[in-house]
């Protein structure tokens, strides 16, 4: 296929606006997958699962976590065009996935649900694509629904975003019924530019290709997804990775259609996979440039490592499973370079890891993947942000682990100030809820920055907030205070001074390091009191008296004693999937030593213990 007949695009949208469904329709229409008869699928949910959402966790949650790539062929005026489609996740936690997909495409379809209108992630994803210099085509989806208001939504897009199309030109589609999707494919061919690098001259230039994704395959090792910028690559070539300077022989090249389909070569403008006999995760640096060994080239872009925002300790339920946990983490992080990994030893929990994630959802998804793909039951401590501690001598210490926070005497003699990370949040909401949302911002130590009216009904609010607050309850509070109508998204906005203190929990005078946390002084007393009440509620049936203390900056602010009672066998009652819990209990029985948190002879059943450790 000649270079001028290639089109590369990503699909971006707010979550649930229909990206994966549209990708499926595009695959069907172009014959990449067989068309499924909607009447035959009936109500069987299994059959309606999206083809590109192929991780177990994605099927379970119905969300897209990994960006997926597929090459499609579409005929227009008798000519065959090659379309490289990259389906992206919509959630903020997976922004790095969106960004890396965008780095490999030139165009973006910005999908907007005709019943929901412009939402927070619509704006955030648009901004990301716009800043990366992509051409953006807004597409209005779900026009089959009776409550669809495509014209009103087109006006909102016009008011909120800058796009190179007039609002009456925005294509209207139903990803569900397929209406308008063939016309959309024609529009992609007619209105999108071919990749700038896809020219005959570029094909004859030296090879430069961008690694934008990789995953582990048990038979072939690490599979690398590449966007070829110039030149061509074929089996047997010797290539070099710029960042690592490792040398590889290409053992397979191909395209995803959507299954791995070997090809003879990949040329400038194409997107496809390479097998390089890579064995280790550390070798596949996303954003790295590869070139032929004989013709070294400058990198396509500089690799900026993703900065994790949320940190948590991850420990095996049973200490003997540490090697298995180590393997599982290693294999999952090949697939997800946005997770940072360091070893951690906790006085309470023993040997484990401190992992960094892009957000709470990212962390949840990781935990689910540990369970579903690696059968690893873990203890995950509650998440925390990274704080900056400014010392009197001018040095700065960054810590993401409350257990490492200096004690009060050290603070008094060595530390000048503390800083915590802030974000700028974008809230999209019906006008009615503006008051409620602004008071929520105030309750969370936030600062209102700006309000824009998109039309008579919708408003966009910007506010600065501490990241720590955003990570805990803010999201659910936004939903609660707007009856579910407001959406919210945030971007990092640097560090600011903050009056931070450590909250500790002591059992019979012993601090429990896994339960300590850092808070703003104004919020710390309430946290300490809540911890004491929670522990009092779960520590019930001990053979000795248990004194529970909550401390703020070394001072006890809450105290309770649980009197000794005769041990009973009452089962802790918990919800959720019974078989999973049973498996978990069986595992934990083997690892009784895990209960040494309560080595001071305080015993808890495993599930209570686990939930104590993991809840903020
Ligand atoms: P994504 O999060 O953007 O990938 O969204 P999905 O493709 O997973 O779609 C979210 C939900 O919207 C699913 O239940 C889809 O069946 C539904 N959906 C997607 N497109 C349409 C459409 O055009 N019409 C209707 N009625 N539902 C749609
Ligand atoms: Mg999806």
């Amino acid at each position: 296929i000649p270079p001028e007949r290639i089109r590369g695009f990503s699909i971006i949208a707010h979550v649930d606006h229909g990206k994966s469904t549209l990708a499926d329709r595009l695959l069907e229409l172009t014959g990449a997958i067989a068309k499924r008869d909607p009447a035959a699928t009936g109500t069987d949910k299994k059959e309606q699962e999206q083809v590109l959402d192929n991780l177990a966790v994605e099927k379970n949650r119905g969300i897209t976590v990994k960006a997926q790539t597929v090459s499609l062929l579409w005929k227009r005026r008798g000519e065959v065009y090659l379309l490289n489609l990259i389906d992206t996740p919509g959630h903020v936690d997976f922004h790095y996935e969106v960004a890396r997909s965008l780095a490999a495409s030139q165009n973006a379809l910005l999908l907007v649900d005709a019943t929901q209108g412009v939402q927070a992630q619509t704006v955030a994803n648009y901004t990301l694509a716009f800043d990366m210099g992509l051409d953006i085509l807004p597409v209005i989806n779900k026009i089959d629904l009776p409550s669809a208001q495509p014209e009103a939504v087109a006006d909102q897009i016009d008011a909120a975003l800058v796009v190179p199309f007039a609002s009456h030109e925005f294509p209207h589609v139903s990803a569900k019924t397929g209406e308008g999707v063939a016309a959309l494919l024609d529009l992609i061919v007619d209105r999108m530019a071919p990749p700038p690098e896809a020219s005959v001259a570029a094909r004859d230039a030296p090879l430069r290709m961008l690694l934008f994704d990789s995953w582990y395959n048990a038979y072939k090792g690490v599979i690398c997804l590449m966007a070829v910028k110039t030149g061509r690559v074929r089996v047997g070539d010797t290539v070099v990775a710029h960042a690592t300077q490792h040398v590889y022989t290409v053992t397979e090249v191909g395209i995803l259609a959507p299954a791995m389909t070997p090809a003879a070569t990949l040329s400038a403008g194409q997107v496809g996979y390479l097998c390089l006999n890579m064995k280790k995760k550390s070798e596949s640096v996303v954003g790295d440039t590869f070139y032929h060994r004989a013709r070294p080239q400058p990198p396509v872009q500089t690799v900026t490592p993703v900065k994790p925002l949320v940190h948590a300790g991850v420990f095996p339920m049973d200490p003997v499973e540490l090697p298995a946990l180590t393997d599982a983490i290693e294999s999952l992080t090949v697939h997800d370079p946005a997770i940072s990994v360091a070893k951690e030893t906790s006085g309470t929990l023993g040997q484990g890891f401190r992992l960094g994630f892009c957000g709470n959802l990212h962390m949840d998804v990781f935990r689910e993947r540990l369970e579903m793909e690696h059968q690893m039951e873990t203890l995950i401590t509650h998440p925390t942000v990274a704080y900056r501690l400014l010392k009197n001598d001018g040095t700065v210490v960054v810590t993401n682990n409350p257990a490492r926070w200096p004690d009060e005497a050290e603070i008094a003699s060595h530390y000048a100030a503390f800083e915590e990370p802030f974000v700028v949040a974008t809230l999209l909401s019906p006008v009615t809820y503006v008051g409620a949302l602004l008071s929520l911002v105030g309750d969370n130590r936030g600062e209102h920055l700006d309000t824009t009216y998109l039309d008579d009904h919708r408003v966009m609010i910007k506010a600065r907030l501490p990241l720590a607050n955003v990570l805990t309850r803010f999201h659910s509070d936004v939903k609660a205070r707007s009856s579910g109508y407001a959406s919210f998204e945030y971007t990092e906005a640097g560090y600011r001074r903050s009056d931070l203190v450590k909250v500790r929990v002591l059992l019979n005078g012993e601090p429990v390091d896994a339960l300590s946390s850092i808070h703003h002084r104004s919020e710390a007393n309430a946290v300490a009191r809540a911890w004491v009440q929670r522990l009092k509620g779960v520590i019930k049936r001990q053979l000795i008296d248990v004194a529970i203390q909550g401390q703020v900056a070394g001072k006890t602010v809450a105290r309770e004693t649980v009197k000794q009672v005769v041990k009973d066998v009452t089962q802790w009652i918990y919800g959720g999937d019974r078989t999973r819990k049973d498996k978990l209990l069986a595992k934990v029985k083997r690892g009784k030593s895990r209960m040494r948190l309560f080595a001071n002879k305080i015993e808890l059943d495993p599930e209570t213990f686990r939930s104590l450790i993991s809840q903020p």
Side-chain angles (χ1 to χ4, degrees):
I1 291 186
E4 67 278 6
R5 277 195 257 130
I6 298 178
R7 303 287 182 271
F9 63 96
S10 297
I11 308 180
I12 55 178
H14 189 76
V15 66
D16 279 348
H17 281 197
K19 292 178 301 293
S20 303
T21 309
L22 179 65
D24 276 8
R25 276 310 79 64
L26 295 174
L27 260 66
E28 259 177 33
L29 266 178
T30 56
I33 55 167
K35 187 164 164 50
R36 288 168 294 178
D37 179 357
T41 57
T43 51
D44 186 354
K45 245 188 131 195
K46 273 250 152 57
E47 303 219 15
Q48 294 174 10
E49 282 164 358
Q50 276 104 17
V51 176
L52 293 186
D53 285 350
N54 55 20
L55 290 176
V57 58
E58 293 179 330
K59 303 241 147 117
N60 229 26
R61 290 177 169 249
I63 58 167
T64 308
V65 171
K66 291 288 295 176
Q68 301 285 344
T69 303
V70 65
S71 298
L72 309 167
L73 297 176
W74 183 245
K75 231 176 175 175
R76 174 90 175 124
R77 288 186 293 263
E79 310 258 42
V80 177
Y81 288 81
L82 173 68
L83 312 181
N84 295 319
L85 152 67
I86 295 169
D87 180 26
T88 61
H91 193 276
V92 58
D93 281 17
F94 307 108
H95 244 161
Y96 59 95
E97 288 281 348
V98 180
R100 91 159 83 137
S101 311
L102 296 181
S105 10
Q106 302 74 42
N107 303 280
L109 298 184
L110 179 70
L111 214 55
V112 185
D113 184 328
T115 68
Q116 303 276 311
V118 172
Q119 298 285 340
Q121 290 160 22
T122 312
V123 178
N125 284 315
Y126 159 84
T127 307
L128 195 59
F130 187 85
D131 290 346
M132 294 181 73
L134 275 74
D135 283 334
I136 299 161
L137 169 59
V139 176
I140 298 174
N141 187 32
K142 305 201 188 181
I143 55 161
D144 60 292
L145 291 173
S147 54
Q149 296 188 299
E151 276 76 28
V153 170
D155 290 343
Q156 287 177 15
I157 297 173
D158 237 8
L161 317 171
V162 180
V163 292
F165 282 80
S167 59
H168 67 266
E169 292 181 312
F170 299 166
H172 293 192
V173 303
S174 166
K176 189 172 177 185
T177 66
E179 185 183 348
V181 179
L184 175 62
L185 281 162
D186 288 344
L187 194 69
I188 287 169
V189 165
D190 294 348
R191 292 289 295 265
M192 286 183 180
E197 61 269 23
S199 65
V200 176
R203 290 192 170 186
D204 294 331
L207 174 69
R208 267 170 107 207
M209 53 188 177
L210 179 73
L211 171 67
F212 70 98
D213 197 4
S214 67
W215 65 90
Y216 191 78
N217 177 299
Y219 304 104
K220 299 180 175 176
V222 181
I223 312 268
C224 297
L225 270 189
M226 301 277 190
V228 184
K229 297 295 179 184
T230 55
R232 54 186 96 204
V233 61
R234 49 171 70 83
V235 173
D237 285 0
T238 305
V239 296
V240 179
H242 186 272
T244 61
Q245 288 295 309
H246 281 284
V247 179
Y248 302 97
T249 301
V250 179
T251 57
E252 187 175 325
V253 305
I255 58 168
L256 296 165
M260 283 169 68
T261 311
T265 57
L266 283 180
S267 327
Q270 282 193 299
V271 170
Y273 72 89
L274 255 68
C275 300
L276 300 167
N277 264 325
M278 253 186 211
K279 295 281 188 299
K280 285 201 310 255
K281 74 156 210 168
S282 46
E283 293 178 52
S284 59
V285 181
V286 167
D288 198 5
T289 301
F290 286 65
Y291 50 79
H292 280 139
R293 184 166 57 176
R295 303 177 78 176
Q297 297 296 308
V300 174
Q301 58 175 42
T302 47
V303 181
T304 43
V306 196
K307 209 167 9 131
L309 297 178
V310 191
H311 305 265
V314 178
F315 298 86
M317 267 298 200
D318 183 336
V320 305
E321 292 185 331
L322 185 66
L325 179 63
T326 308
D327 288 350
I329 288 176
E330 162 92 354
S331 116
L332 285 178
T333 46
V334 173
H335 208 74
D336 196 342
I339 297 173
S340 70
V341 184
K343 290 218 159 74
E344 181 183 348
T345 306
S346 153
T348 313
L349 303 170
Q351 296 277 340
F353 296 90
R354 190 118 196 125
L355 302 186
F357 303 93
C358 297
N360 285 352
L361 178 64
H362 188 209
M363 180 171 115
D364 270 8
V365 164
F366 183 80
R367 184 183 49 73
E368 256 181 50
R369 295 188 62 195
L370 274 177
E371 288 177 9
M372 291 199 284
E373 296 170 30
H374 295 271
Q375 289 74 50
M376 282 301 310
E377 299 283 357
T378 52
L379 284 166
I380 302 193
T381 64
H382 53 255
T384 161
V385 301
Y387 296 101
R388 282 163 53 90
L389 292 69
L390 315 185
K391 298 183 89 166
N392 291 334
D393 63 9
T395 56
V396 178
V397 179
V398 177
T399 184
N400 56 37
N401 189 348
R404 301 246 186 80
W405 196 261
D407 65 28
E408 287 64 38
E410 278 179 88
I411 292 171
S413 50
H414 295 297
Y415 290 84
F418 303 131
E419 292 179 347
E420 68 172 312
F422 276 70
V423 297
V424 169
T426 305
L427 291 141
L428 267 282
S429 167
V431 173
T432 345
Y433 303 107
V434 169
L437 292 172
L438 290 180
S439 76
L440 180 63
V441 166
D443 294 348
N444 282 280
R445 301 188 281 129
E447 180 193 343
H448 174 219
L449 299 175
D450 183 49
T451 302
T452 313
Y453 286 82
L454 300 186
D455 57 25
D456 291 347
H457 309 288
R458 283 189 81 70
V459 64
M460 177 159 74
I461 300 167
K462 300 247 184 216
R464 190 190 335 266
L465 289 153
L467 174 62
N469 290 53
V470 166
L471 291 176
T472 46
R473 294 198 35 218
F474 194 73
H475 196 177
S476 54
D477 287 349
V478 164
K479 290 290 171 194
R481 295 217 193 167
S482 67
S483 309
Y485 285 111
S487 60
F488 139 80
E489 187 64 278
Y490 59 87
T491 52
E492 284 173 76
Y495 277 77
R496 306 195 132 209
R497 284 287 160 93
S498 185
D499 187 6
L500 299 168
V501 288
K502 179 165 174 173
V503 172
R504 276 194 198 82
V505 179
L506 288 78
L507 293 178
N508 286 344
E510 293 267 342
V512 182
D513 69 351
L515 301 185
S516 57
S517 50
I518 306 302
H519 299 272
H520 189 262
R521 196 180 292 275
S522 64
E523 297 163 346
N525 280 10
V527 173
R529 279 197 294 271
W531 264 119
V532 170
Q533 289 312 314
R534 246 177 106 199
L535 282 160
K536 190 189 174 199
V538 296
I539 300 177
K540 272 185 181 146
R541 20 180 204 284
Q542 308 302 322
L543 301 170
I544 52 162
D545 279 1
V546 181
I548 311 166
Q549 276 171 277
Q551 290 190 340
V552 171
K555 294 203 180 62
T556 301
V557 299
R559 181 186 187 100
E560 293 279 353
T561 304
V562 180
K563 287 283 177 200
Q564 75 174 88
V565 288
V566 177
K567 193 177 184 185
D568 72 15
V569 288
T570 320
Q571 270 251 348
W572 185 255
I573 297 161
Y574 38 75
D577 174 1
R578 190 66 231 183
T579 52
R580 221 193 77 204
K581 295 277 151 63
D582 284 347
K583 246 183 20 210
L584 171 67
L585 286 179
K587 257 190 181 164
V588 168
K589 267 190 207 117
R590 283 187 277 120
K592 267 278 184 190
S593 54
R594 195 32 104 191
M595 254 78 72
R596 70 177 164 270
L597 157 62
F598 306 106
N600 10 18
K601 300 191 201 64
I602 303 159
E603 228 179 80
L604 279 182
D605 79 277
E607 196 59 13
T608 308
F609 176 70
R610 194 185 196 203
S611 81
L612 265 183
I613 294 292
S614 63
Q615 309 272 295

